[in-house]
Amino acid sequence: RAVRSHFSERVRIAVVPDYVGNWFSAAGGRPGVVVISGGGSVAYGRNAAGQESRVGGWGHLLGDEGSGYWIGLEAARAALRSSAGVIPLTTLERAVWASLEVADSGELTQRVYSGAVTDRDLALLVPVVEREAAGGDEAARGILDRAAGHLFALVRAAVARLGPLPVYPSGGAFRVEGLRERFERLASGAGLEVRLAREGSDPMDGLLIIARHGPAYVVGG
């Protein structure tokens, strides 16, 4: 209604989620599934018949497993459990304290619940988890393993509805080599083709193209 108030009735308005633009930009509008791991996690795709499927994208209270935020949150949880002796000592403990600039578990919990540590701050822990995993830390490795598994589950559900399609990993968390490699192994093991997003692709570009051609626009092939 707010947008409509600025335009005449003759102007067609379509509101689409940002993951649609991400899909269009990554796949060029061709049949495929984009799986996004950033602040949240979601898989979205369309097949040659124009059928679409969205799996995930339920927000951090109900979902977003495998997202950058989730990975960071799991790292903070592991650090707290390690500090308390609930799990074996993990190098994530000191790494999380240093990255979030806290002295100990008490300060971490205070800063998280006061809002001083934001969702974005937690998502920025993804490279920290990658570094510790590469160094052999079992807790960090487990977090990346579970994250890849969650993201693959989203893709598997989308493909079950749409049929076998190329898969395009997207989002900031996939810039982490350890997560991307784990995901690619799972997808390849299921017979799915993992492709790189088009070079220089930007979700905003996808939304602009959709706006130009209409929300049902799909390039054949």
Side-chain angles (χ1 to χ4, degrees):
R1 288 194 300 268
V3 174
R4 175 62 67 191
S5 68
H6 292 277
F7 295 92
S8 72
E9 290 297 321
R10 291 174 297 185
V11 176
R12 183 183 181 191
I13 298 172
V15 180
V16 298
D18 56 355
Y19 56 75
V20 176
N22 202 310
W23 163 80
F24 196 101
S25 180
R30 293 177 173 82
V33 174
V34 63
V35 55
I36 304 167
S37 176
S41 62
V42 62
Y44 174 81
R46 292 190 192 181
N47 59 21
Q51 296 172 310
E52 62 180 349
S53 175
R54 188 207 84 177
V55 185
W58 300 311
H60 71 280
L61 293 179
L62 299 176
D64 280 349
E65 296 90 346
S67 68
Y69 163 79
W70 181 90
I71 292 171
L73 183 62
E74 288 295 293
R77 287 171 169 164
L80 290 172
R81 291 168 181 157
S82 171
S83 176
V86 175
I87 64 172
L89 183 67
T90 167
T91 59
L92 283 172
E93 185 180 330
R94 291 188 179 278
V96 168
W97 299 167
S99 181
L100 297 180
E101 299 181 347
V102 300
D104 52 32
S105 60
E107 187 176 1
L108 173 63
T109 55
Q110 188 277 327
R111 286 174 58 80
V112 167
Y113 285 112
S114 69
V117 171
T118 65
D119 292 358
R120 182 176 183 276
D121 292 328
L122 291 174
L124 290 175
L125 289 174
V126 174
V128 174
V129 177
E130 158 76 355
R131 184 185 69 228
E132 301 308 316
D137 185 79
E138 289 301 320
R141 286 180 173 180
I143 290 171
L144 292 183
D145 287 342
R146 295 195 302 276
H150 287 308
L151 296 168
F152 172 67
L154 299 179
V155 170
R156 182 174 56 198
V159 167
R161 298 173 183 174
L162 300 175
L165 292 170
V167 178
Y168 299 86
S170 182
F174 273 119
R175 298 192 187 110
V176 170
E177 185 175 347
L179 176 62
R180 189 175 63 252
E181 288 180 347
R182 285 167 167 82
F183 173 80
E184 288 178 353
R185 282 198 297 269
L186 291 173
S188 297
L192 298 176
E193 179 187 2
V194 179
R195 296 183 183 178
L196 295 175
R198 294 184 307 126
E199 186 174 356
S201 62
D202 185 317
M204 187 58 68
D205 293 338
L207 289 172
L208 291 173
I209 295 172
I210 291 170
R212 186 178 303 121
H213 294 278
Y217 177 64
V218 178
V219 177

